[in-house]
Amino acid sequence: MIQSPPSESMVIKTLFEMSGITKEKITSELRELISETARPEILFWDINDIIKATTFSRKFLEDHILNDPRIQRYERQREKGGKRVWLKEPTSKLLQEIIMNEWY
């Protein structure tokens, strides 16, 4: 009996499986990519957002983080006594840098 050569799609599927690329992995990566793409970009955050992200108390943040000149550089307030906001990306990177490099 003469066997027909495997189809191109079967060859590609076999090559992917041999290299560890499975349908489940591709589906997972696509879902993650869609999730990241669909997530709204947050430009600014306020102290409540920073509290949620760091789990530090408001007093601790005020005393030890938000008075840092590097963080204050990204702080904006429309009027005295008004709501304060910070640029999210640079302040989140600075928070991580301060905690990981300057704390013991």
Side-chain angles (χ1 to χ4, degrees):
M1 186 168 143
I2 300 174
Q3 283 187 332
S4 61
S7 68
E8 187 177 326
S9 64
M10 285 301 295
V11 171
I12 292 171
K13 182 179 178 183
T14 303
L15 287 172
F16 279 157
E17 287 175 353
M18 289 173 63
S19 62
I21 300 172
T22 63
K23 181 179 179 180
E24 292 77 22
K25 283 186 179 181
I26 292 171
T27 303
S28 173
E29 288 294 323
L30 285 174
R31 283 189 177 136
E32 186 177 324
L33 180 63
I34 290 168
S35 174
E36 288 176 11
T37 304
R39 188 177 322 137
E41 184 177 350
I42 299 172
L43 298 176
F44 296 94
W45 57 349
D46 65 8
I47 191 162
N48 294 322
D49 296 326
I50 299 172
I51 289 169
K52 286 179 197 171
T54 62
T55 70
F56 296 137
S57 70
R58 178 182 294 264
K59 178 158 177 39
F60 183 86
L61 286 170
E62 295 282 359
D63 293 346
H64 301 285
I65 303 289
L66 300 179
N67 64 359
D68 187 305
R70 296 170 292 179
I71 297 285
Q72 287 179 340
R73 176 174 48 180
Y74 298 107
E75 180 182 332
R76 294 298 181 267
Q77 189 174 24
R78 183 171 180 160
E79 56 194 34
K80 188 164 176 75
K83 183 175 183 167
R84 296 178 300 163
V85 295
W86 292 263
L87 275 171
K88 187 174 189 313
E89 186 177 335
T91 55
S92 63
K93 287 180 181 175
L94 274 169
L95 280 167
Q96 186 175 12
E97 181 182 313
I98 290 168
I99 292 168
M100 296 307 293
N101 297 331
E102 298 176 17
W103 294 10
Y104 298 103

